[in-house]
PDB file of all heavy atoms in Angstrom:
ATOM      1  N   ASN A 179      58.076  19.352  -7.179  1.00  0.00           N
ATOM      2  CA  ASN A 179      57.262  20.420  -7.779  1.00  0.00           C
ATOM      3  C   ASN A 179      56.467  19.885  -8.969  1.00  0.00           C
ATOM      4  O   ASN A 179      56.997  19.661 -10.044  1.00  0.00           O
ATOM      5  CB  ASN A 179      58.151  21.583  -8.220  1.00  0.00           C
ATOM      6  CG  ASN A 179      57.314  22.779  -8.672  1.00  0.00           C
ATOM      7  OD1 ASN A 179      56.108  22.637  -8.935  1.00  0.00           O
ATOM      8  ND2 ASN A 179      57.941  23.935  -8.754  1.00  0.00           N
ATOM      9  N   LEU A 227      46.246   7.317 -17.387  1.00  0.00           N
ATOM     10  CA  LEU A 227      46.769   7.156 -18.755  1.00  0.00           C
ATOM     11  C   LEU A 227      45.662   6.752 -19.728  1.00  0.00           C
ATOM     12  O   LEU A 227      45.693   7.105 -20.899  1.00  0.00           O
ATOM     13  CB  LEU A 227      47.852   6.072 -18.786  1.00  0.00           C
ATOM     14  CG  LEU A 227      49.220   6.441 -18.235  1.00  0.00           C
ATOM     15  CD1 LEU A 227      50.147   5.232 -18.301  1.00  0.00           C
ATOM     16  CD2 LEU A 227      49.846   7.593 -19.024  1.00  0.00           C
ATOM     17  N   TRP A 252      30.071  17.772 -31.189  1.00  0.00           N
ATOM     18  CA  TRP A 252      30.196  17.727 -29.729  1.00  0.00           C
ATOM     19  C   TRP A 252      29.506  16.482 -29.167  1.00  0.00           C
ATOM     20  O   TRP A 252      30.018  15.836 -28.259  1.00  0.00           O
ATOM     21  CB  TRP A 252      29.630  19.022 -29.144  1.00  0.00           C
ATOM     22  CG  TRP A 252      29.766  19.154 -27.653  1.00  0.00           C
ATOM     23  CD1 TRP A 252      28.782  19.460 -26.783  1.00  0.00           C
ATOM     24  CD2 TRP A 252      30.953  18.986 -26.862  1.00  0.00           C
ATOM     25  NE1 TRP A 252      29.275  19.478 -25.489  1.00  0.00           N
ATOM     26  CE2 TRP A 252      30.608  19.189 -25.512  1.00  0.00           C
ATOM     27  CE3 TRP A 252      32.269  18.662 -27.164  1.00  0.00           C
ATOM     28  CZ2 TRP A 252      31.521  19.082 -24.462  1.00  0.00           C
ATOM     29  CZ3 TRP A 252      33.193  18.557 -26.107  1.00  0.00           C
ATOM     30  CH2 TRP A 252      32.809  18.771 -24.787  1.00  0.00           C
ATOM     31  N   ASP A 321      46.962  25.367 -23.891  1.00  0.00           N
ATOM     32  CA  ASP A 321      46.435  26.178 -25.000  1.00  0.00           C
ATOM     33  C   ASP A 321      45.627  25.289 -25.931  1.00  0.00           C
ATOM     34  O   ASP A 321      46.105  24.235 -26.327  1.00  0.00           O
ATOM     35  CB  ASP A 321      47.622  26.711 -25.832  1.00  0.00           C
ATOM     36  CG  ASP A 321      47.962  28.139 -25.460  1.00  0.00           C
ATOM     37  OD1 ASP A 321      47.059  28.858 -25.023  1.00  0.00           O
ATOM     38  OD2 ASP A 321      49.145  28.503 -25.629  1.00  0.00           O
ATOM     39  N   LYS A 343      30.201  21.281  -6.197  1.00  0.00           N
ATOM     40  CA  LYS A 343      29.220  21.186  -7.284  1.00  0.00           C
ATOM     41  C   LYS A 343      29.774  20.231  -8.357  1.00  0.00           C
ATOM     42  O   LYS A 343      29.248  19.156  -8.604  1.00  0.00           O
ATOM     43  CB  LYS A 343      28.991  22.583  -7.862  1.00  0.00           C
ATOM     44  CG  LYS A 343      27.621  22.731  -8.469  1.00  0.00           C
ATOM     45  CD  LYS A 343      27.319  24.193  -8.712  1.00  0.00           C
ATOM     46  CE  LYS A 343      27.110  24.478 -10.169  1.00  0.00           C
ATOM     47  NZ  LYS A 343      28.147  24.990 -10.958  1.00  0.00           N
TER      48      LYS A 343
END
Side-chain angles (χ1 to χ4, degrees):
N179 188 344
L227 284 178
W252 184 231
D321 261 332
K343 207 166 118 262

